[in-house]
PDB file of all heavy atoms in Angstrom:
ATOM      1  N   LEU A  10       2.737   1.884 -22.658  1.00  0.00           N
ATOM      2  CA  LEU A  10       3.163   0.861 -21.643  1.00  0.00           C
ATOM      3  C   LEU A  10       3.828  -0.297 -22.340  1.00  0.00           C
ATOM      4  O   LEU A  10       3.751  -0.400 -23.563  1.00  0.00           O
ATOM      5  CB  LEU A  10       1.919   0.490 -20.858  1.00  0.00           C
ATOM      6  CG  LEU A  10       1.220   1.606 -20.094  1.00  0.00           C
ATOM      7  CD1 LEU A  10      -0.016   1.049 -19.338  1.00  0.00           C
ATOM      8  CD2 LEU A  10       2.143   2.244 -19.080  1.00  0.00           C
ATOM      9  N   THR A  16      -4.975   4.569 -23.597  1.00  0.00           N
ATOM     10  CA  THR A  16      -5.696   5.660 -24.215  1.00  0.00           C
ATOM     11  C   THR A  16      -6.997   5.792 -23.407  1.00  0.00           C
ATOM     12  O   THR A  16      -7.834   4.875 -23.471  1.00  0.00           O
ATOM     13  CB  THR A  16      -6.001   5.406 -25.687  1.00  0.00           C
ATOM     14  OG1 THR A  16      -4.777   5.206 -26.365  1.00  0.00           O
ATOM     15  CG2 THR A  16      -6.696   6.607 -26.304  1.00  0.00           C
ATOM     16  N   GLY A  35      -4.140  -1.052 -17.003  1.00  0.00           N
ATOM     17  CA  GLY A  35      -3.812   0.372 -17.036  1.00  0.00           C
ATOM     18  C   GLY A  35      -4.535   1.218 -16.025  1.00  0.00           C
ATOM     19  O   GLY A  35      -4.406   2.420 -15.923  1.00  0.00           O
ATOM     20  N   LYS A  36      -5.301   0.588 -15.120  1.00  0.00           N
ATOM     21  CA  LYS A  36      -6.070   1.297 -14.092  1.00  0.00           C
ATOM     22  C   LYS A  36      -5.174   2.106 -13.137  1.00  0.00           C
ATOM     23  O   LYS A  36      -5.380   3.299 -12.991  1.00  0.00           O
ATOM     24  CB  LYS A  36      -6.950   0.339 -13.260  1.00  0.00           C
ATOM     25  CG  LYS A  36      -7.839  -0.502 -14.055  1.00  0.00           C
ATOM     26  CD  LYS A  36      -8.767  -1.389 -13.188  1.00  0.00           C
ATOM     27  CE  LYS A  36      -8.056  -2.318 -12.222  1.00  0.00           C
ATOM     28  NZ  LYS A  36      -7.269  -3.401 -12.910  1.00  0.00           N
ATOM     29  N   LEU A 112     -10.133  15.230  14.941  1.00  0.00           N
ATOM     30  CA  LEU A 112     -11.117  14.656  15.813  1.00  0.00           C
ATOM     31  C   LEU A 112     -12.382  14.227  15.074  1.00  0.00           C
ATOM     32  O   LEU A 112     -12.901  13.151  15.317  1.00  0.00           O
ATOM     33  CB  LEU A 112     -11.502  15.674  16.931  1.00  0.00           C
ATOM     34  CG  LEU A 112     -12.547  15.210  17.959  1.00  0.00           C
ATOM     35  CD1 LEU A 112     -12.047  13.968  18.641  1.00  0.00           C
ATOM     36  CD2 LEU A 112     -12.875  16.351  18.916  1.00  0.00           C
ATOM     37  N   THR A 195     -20.042  -1.752  -9.221  1.00  0.00           N
ATOM     38  CA  THR A 195     -21.396  -1.251  -9.517  1.00  0.00           C
ATOM     39  C   THR A 195     -22.099  -0.735  -8.209  1.00  0.00           C
ATOM     40  O   THR A 195     -22.892   0.153  -8.346  1.00  0.00           O
ATOM     41  CB  THR A 195     -22.310  -2.363 -10.112  1.00  0.00           C
ATOM     42  OG1 THR A 195     -22.240  -3.545  -9.220  1.00  0.00           O
ATOM     43  CG2 THR A 195     -21.744  -2.794 -11.451  1.00  0.00           C
TER      44      THR A 195
END
Side-chain angles (χ1 to χ4, degrees):
L10 299 178
T16 304
K36 304 185 302 295
L112 180 58
T195 54

